[in-house]
C-alpha cells in the first residue's frame, strides 16, 4: 500500500512540477528572472513540487529496515 501511495505522490508532484515549470518558462523567466518575484505563487508551487519529489525519493531507504 505504501508503494501505491508513494507512486501516486510522485506522479502527482511530477505533473505539478511540469505544469508549473512550463508556465514559468512561458512567462519568460530565462530572459527576465525578476518575473519569478512577480509570480511568487507559481514559483512556490515549483519549490513545493520539488520538495515533495525529493522527500518521496529520499525516504526509500527507510522501507528496508
Amino acid at each position: 500500500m505504501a508503494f501505491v501511495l508513494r507512486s501516486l505522490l510522485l506522479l502527482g508532484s511530477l505533473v505539478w512540477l511540469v505544469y508549473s515549470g512550463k508556465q514559468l518558462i512561458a512567462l519568460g523567466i530565462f530572459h527576465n528572472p525578476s518575473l519569478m518575484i512577480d509570480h511568487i505563487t507559481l514559483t512556490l508551487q515549483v519549490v513545493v513540487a520539488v520538495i515533495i519529489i525529493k522527500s518521496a525519493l529520499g525516504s526509500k531507504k527507510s522501507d528496508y529496515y
Side-chain angles (χ1 to χ4, degrees):
M1 188 64 163
F3 174 75
V4 174
L5 182 62
R6 181 177 290 136
S7 299
L8 289 175
L9 182 66
L10 282 173
L11 180 63
S13 60
L14 183 63
V15 169
W16 186 16
L17 177 66
V18 168
Y19 180 74
S20 301
K22 186 177 171 183
Q23 285 183 337
L24 278 176
I25 291 171
L27 287 171
I29 62 164
F30 288 123
H31 299 290
N32 191 1
S34 66
L35 286 173
M36 290 177 64
I37 295 171
D38 295 338
H39 301 281
I40 194 71
T41 56
L42 197 55
T43 304
L44 289 176
Q45 286 180 3
V46 170
V47 170
V48 168
V50 168
I51 290 171
I52 291 172
I53 290 173
K54 187 172 180 173
S55 68
L57 289 177
S59 65
K60 195 186 307 183
K61 292 180 182 177
S62 65
D63 289 344
Y64 296 117
Y65 297 108

